Amino acid sequence: MSWGTELWDQFENLDKHTQWGIDFLERYAKFVKERLEIEQNYAKQLRNLVKKYCPKRSKDEEPRFTSCISFYSILNELNDYAGQREVVAEEMGHKVYGELMKYGLDLKAERKHHLQEGRKAQQYLDQCWKQMDNSKKKFERECKEAEKSQLSYDRLDNDINATKSEVEKAKSQFYLRTHMADESKNEYAAQLQNFNAEQWKHFNNAIPHIFKNLQDMDERRTVKLGETYRSFAEVERRVIPIISKCLEGMVTAAKAVDERRDSAIVVESFKSGFEPPGDFPFEDFSQNLSRTGSDSTISSTPKGDRDREGGPGPRSDPKHSMGKAKNKLWLFGKKPKSPSSSPPPSPPSSSSSRPHRPRPTTQLPPPPRFSSDPVGYCLSELKTTVPRIPSFRGLRRGWSVKMAPSLEDFSHLPPEQRRKRLQQRIDELSKELQKEVDQRDALNKMKDVYEKNPQMGDPSSLQPKISETMCNMEKLRSEIHKNESWLSEVEGKQSSRGDRRHSADNHHHTPQGRESPEGSYTDDTSQEHHAPHHHSTPPQAGPPNPDPHEFDDEFDDDDPLPVIGHCKALYSFDGQNEGTLVMAEQEVLYIIEEDKGDGWTRARKQSGEEGYVPTSYVEITMEKNSKGAVTYI
């Protein structure tokens, strides 16, 4: 069914219909736009929700509980789901909304063109009709004039009084009008024939062709709407498999929740490694009371028998006993202050603390015996007197735990947690060391290639990088050795804790220290290694025995100074004086102590030998952000 034949006279209605079709298409495009905006806002809100409940975390804050891991997995799946909603919005905007808007513009231009052609055809037909109508009116007017001239001629011809000239004039006028009427008739006939031909062409060729084009345009619009409806649904259908995977991932994350594993992680996270508190000892305060005859048998019991029978031993110091009771009660109450009844041991002589330095030194008096507050004593001594400690490094290492809440050796943590943190740090340092080793091997291989093929590069250009890598390796090895010593110390304490527990149960004695079998815990790490054991018998008079482990860091060669840079020898040095280091020209050394203004720098060879070299003999390169520089007082 064609619009050209069936609707040949409905030009105005077709004009309105095609305009309605374009308006409907634009309305649907607006609907799609609002729908994709909803999808975009939905995806944006989902991503903001995921970001709100899954903030950026550091490595130490990574979740370990299965419930937390599952929740973050669900958040990740939800984030992927939001991504699929964004895909839906993007494809709707590109394949549906964009196509509709572009097609709408094309339809408007095509409709305008067809309607202009129809209007032009109608105008041409109207013009032909006007010409035919004018010729018809002219023909009618000329016929009337001819009739009038004929009547005038007949009247004069029949009038006997009319002159011959008048009759001739009327006759010529009649002939003229008759001729003009014949010409108008011929013109009218021609115009009529032309109009009929143009009218036939208009209603049988031009208008059907134009209406057929309008019909095709409207049908294409309808087809396009159907295609966009299908595309609208296909966009949703294409993301359904991925959305299903996201939902399956959420279900899998929910099934991964393990309550037993979470409980085990809680134990692993908070286990301190302490032993449960033991029994309180019986403290007999009736030792000095006079015995009556009825209980003389009790007092006459030999001391050894009383010990074997489980009776109380000699009377303990009441203050010491109260201190022990406070230490035991700290598990559920306040932390006790360290008792000041026993003075700390005096540090040993520091004559061999470090190799002799080839420079003038002042004779230092022997270090004094510290009071109960060694840090305060040292600070007061530093302010008022000449420095009396050959090296402040040992004091700083021994008591640095008192000065900062978070320490490098994690001694502020319980034993079990300290062991885990130290092991974790050792693993990280080992990985970094392996990277440096690989980098050194690669540089050495590259250097060999350059030596064999000089045109590829200069081998000496790699030497600074190799020296820097060796310096980094030395620093990492030093750090690993230091952490391994701390780890072995913790593991040794944990292995001997059972023996201390057994000894404490037999003697009803609570050793004072940082890690007590009863679970007491103190930040005073100086008691961990240095505090002497108290026995039930009063201490003997005289100076206390020094702790052999006091200031171990000051005299122990197992804890080398950290590397703070490296240097290259500009000249050879024989090192004849005591404490100096022999070096060859172009030899690379590690810097472990800077020049203090006397012209000597302390260095270490790759073999481990240490000593002093002239500062002017070497080219020094210090490490950035070096933490190994030590200042001696």
Side-chain angles (χ1 to χ4, degrees):
M1 187 174 292
S2 174
W3 289 4
T5 57
E6 303 294 334
L7 303 176
W8 60 271
D9 57 346
Q10 300 297 321
F11 183 85
E12 297 296 332
N13 290 330
L14 291 180
D15 184 6
K16 294 178 181 179
H17 173 75
T18 52
Q19 182 61 43
W20 171 86
I22 293 176
D23 293 341
F24 181 79
L25 185 140
E26 291 180 345
R27 184 182 179 188
Y28 175 67
K30 185 178 179 181
F31 161 78
V32 175
K33 181 180 179 181
E34 293 181 0
R35 169 63 191 278
L36 67 89
E37 287 176 352
I38 291 174
E39 292 289 349
Q40 290 174 346
N41 294 331
Y42 179 48
K44 182 178 180 180
Q45 291 177 1
L46 286 179
R47 289 195 182 276
N48 291 336
L49 182 67
V50 171
K51 185 178 181 181
K52 177 181 178 181
Y53 287 93
C54 187
K56 294 182 179 179
R57 304 178 299 273
S58 62
K59 186 177 181 181
D60 296 335
E61 296 176 353
E62 288 294 330
R64 294 187 297 164
F65 297 102
T66 57
S67 56
C68 294
I69 295 175
S70 298
F71 176 66
Y72 290 127
S73 298
I74 290 175
L75 290 179
N76 291 332
E77 296 294 344
L78 187 61
N79 192 50
D80 295 340
Y81 176 81
Q84 295 306 309
R85 303 319 306 176
E86 290 177 347
V87 170
V88 170
E90 182 179 357
E91 293 195 0
M92 280 186 180
H94 177 68
K95 296 184 177 181
V96 181
Y97 177 73
E99 291 289 334
L100 286 175
M101 295 303 296
K102 182 179 178 181
Y103 191 73
L105 295 176
D106 294 340
L107 283 181
K108 287 181 178 180
E110 184 179 358
R111 172 180 174 274
K112 182 178 179 181
H113 174 70
H114 294 325
L115 293 180
Q116 286 180 350
E117 287 184 349
R119 290 190 179 93
K120 287 180 180 180
Q122 187 66 38
Q123 289 176 359
Y124 180 72
L125 183 63
D126 292 341
Q127 184 179 1
C128 293
W129 181 84
K130 287 181 180 180
Q131 291 178 357
M132 183 271 299
D133 186 64
N134 291 334
S135 62
K136 177 181 176 182
K137 290 179 179 179
K138 182 180 180 182
F139 173 60
E140 181 180 6
R141 188 172 54 254
E142 293 295 334
C143 288
K144 290 180 179 180
E145 290 293 332
E147 289 177 357
K148 289 181 180 180
S149 63
Q150 184 179 3
L151 292 175
S152 177
Y153 171 70
D154 291 339
R155 183 175 58 81
L156 290 175
D157 188 36
N158 295 323
D159 188 7
I160 59 176
N161 296 322
T163 62
K164 185 176 180 181
S165 59
E166 291 178 351
V167 173
E168 290 296 330
K169 184 178 180 180
K171 184 177 179 180
S172 62
Q173 187 68 24
F174 168 68
Y175 288 152
L176 178 63
R177 292 294 179 183
T178 302
H179 178 69
M180 292 177 63
D182 292 338
E183 289 181 353
S184 298
K185 179 179 178 181
N186 294 331
E187 182 181 358
Y188 168 64
Q191 291 293 337
L192 180 62
Q193 185 178 5
N194 180 55
F195 173 75
N196 289 333
E198 294 296 334
Q199 181 175 255
W200 186 89
K201 291 179 181 179
H202 178 79
F203 289 108
N204 290 276
N205 292 332
I207 290 299
H209 178 71
I210 294 172
F211 285 7
K212 183 67 169 57
N213 292 335
L214 289 175
Q215 182 180 2
D216 294 340
M217 180 194 72
D218 192 71
E219 289 177 353
R220 289 198 309 272
R221 177 191 62 81
T222 306
V223 172
K224 190 66 176 181
L225 283 174
E227 292 176 354
T228 53
Y229 295 160
R230 191 179 302 107
S231 300
F232 186 84
E234 288 292 335
V235 167
E236 291 279 356
R237 180 182 294 178
R238 277 194 292 269
V239 299
I240 286 177
I242 303 178
I243 292 177
S244 299
K245 290 183 179 179
C246 294
L247 298 178
E248 290 175 1
M250 294 181 185
V251 174
T252 304
K255 293 179 180 178
V257 176
D258 188 352
E259 67 279 4
R260 296 186 179 274
R261 177 168 175 77
D262 286 358
S263 299
I265 292 175
V266 173
V267 173
E268 181 183 354
S269 300
F270 302 110
K271 181 180 179 181
S272 64
F274 295 133
E275 296 290 339
D279 298 334
F280 280 86
F282 177 77
E283 300 177 6
D284 190 1
F285 299 99
S286 63
Q287 290 286 335
N288 297 332
L289 298 179
S290 60
R291 302 295 183 180
T292 61
S294 60
D295 56 7
S296 61
T297 57
I298 301 176
S299 61
S300 62
T301 304
K303 176 181 177 181
D305 296 341
R306 287 201 306 269
D307 293 340
R308 288 192 296 271
E309 294 172 3
R315 181 181 179 187
S316 304
D317 187 2
K319 294 182 179 179
H320 179 59
S321 301
M322 290 301 292
K324 292 188 293 183
K326 289 179 180 179
N327 276 338
K328 291 179 180 180
L329 291 175
W330 177 58
L331 181 63
F332 306 103
K334 293 183 178 180
K335 182 181 76 172
K337 296 182 180 178
S338 59
S340 60
S341 59
S342 60
S346 60
S349 174
S350 61
S351 59
S352 62
S353 63
R354 58 178 181 174
H356 176 69
R357 189 170 186 170
R359 57 182 176 183
T361 58
T362 58
Q363 185 67 26
L364 298 177
R369 186 170 299 169
F370 296 114
S371 63
S372 59
D373 187 5
V375 178
Y377 176 83
C378 292
L379 293 177
S380 63
E381 287 292 311
L382 289 173
K383 291 179 181 179
T384 58
T385 63
V386 179
R388 302 168 65 184
I389 302 175
S391 175
F392 196 70
R393 179 168 58 91
L395 182 64
R396 180 175 61 82
R397 290 182 181 178
W399 296 325
S400 61
V401 71
K402 294 182 179 180
M403 302 179 184
S406 179
L407 304 171
E408 185 182 6
D409 60 350
F410 302 112
S411 57
H412 60 287
L413 297 176
E416 183 67 20
Q417 302 301 322
R418 184 186 180 194
R419 182 188 64 80
K420 292 177 182 177
R421 294 293 293 273
L422 287 173
Q423 186 63 49
Q424 181 181 359
R425 181 188 286 174
I426 290 172
D427 295 340
E428 293 175 355
L429 291 174
S430 299
K431 292 180 181 179
E432 294 180 6
L433 178 61
Q434 185 61 39
K435 291 181 181 178
E436 294 294 335
V437 171
D438 295 340
Q439 184 177 2
R440 181 203 61 186
D441 296 342
L443 290 172
N444 288 331
K445 291 181 180 178
M446 188 180 296
K447 183 178 179 181
D448 294 340
V449 172
Y450 286 176
E451 290 176 351
K452 295 178 181 179
N453 302 297
Q455 66 275 10
M456 297 183 66
D458 185 10
S460 60
S461 63
L462 300 176
Q463 188 61 37
K465 188 64 176 178
I466 295 176
S467 301
E468 181 182 357
T469 305
M470 296 293 293
C471 181
N472 294 337
M473 290 170 57
E474 184 70 20
K475 290 167 62 177
L476 289 173
R477 288 195 181 100
S478 175
E479 289 292 327
I480 291 174
H481 175 75
K482 182 168 58 176
N483 284 273
E484 285 179 346
S485 63
W486 289 335
L487 181 61
S488 61
E489 175 187 347
V490 174
E491 292 176 347
K493 288 179 182 178
Q494 289 181 341
S495 62
S496 62
R497 188 176 294 112
D499 297 336
R500 295 204 305 270
R501 170 70 177 172
H502 180 69
S503 175
D505 291 341
N506 290 340
H507 295 87
H508 296 281
H509 167 65
T510 304
Q512 295 178 357
R514 188 167 179 269
E515 299 170 5
S516 64
E518 289 81 0
S520 63
Y521 174 68
T522 174
D523 289 336
D524 193 355
T525 56
S526 62
Q527 296 179 4
E528 184 177 356
H529 306 291
H530 314 317
H533 295 285
H534 297 280
H535 301 283
S536 59
T537 59
Q540 298 294 329
N545 296 327
D547 191 348
H549 300 290
E550 186 78 20
F551 296 101
D552 279 349
D553 290 339
E554 180 65 23
F555 307 100
D556 197 354
D557 292 338
D558 291 340
D559 188 10
L561 289 174
V563 176
I564 61 175
H566 63 276
C567 65
K568 183 171 67 173
L570 301 176
Y571 315 99
S572 60
F573 182 66
D574 52 6
Q576 297 178 356
N577 296 331
E578 181 183 358
T580 58
L581 187 64
V582 179
M583 65 178 181
E585 187 177 355
Q586 300 298 323
E587 184 177 1
V588 178
L589 306 175
Y590 300 115
I591 302 298
I592 58 177
E593 183 180 341
E594 295 185 68
D595 185 0
K596 303 302 179 183
D598 52 4
W600 293 92
T601 300
R602 191 173 181 180
R604 179 190 300 148
K605 290 189 174 184
Q606 297 184 5
S607 60
E609 184 181 357
E610 297 181 1
Y612 290 90
V613 297
T615 305
S616 59
Y617 278 46
V618 294
E619 180 183 357
I620 298 176
T621 302
M622 302 301 295
E623 298 293 332
K624 295 182 179 179
N625 302 325
S626 175
K627 298 181 180 179
V630 179
T631 303
Y632 293 95
I633 299 176

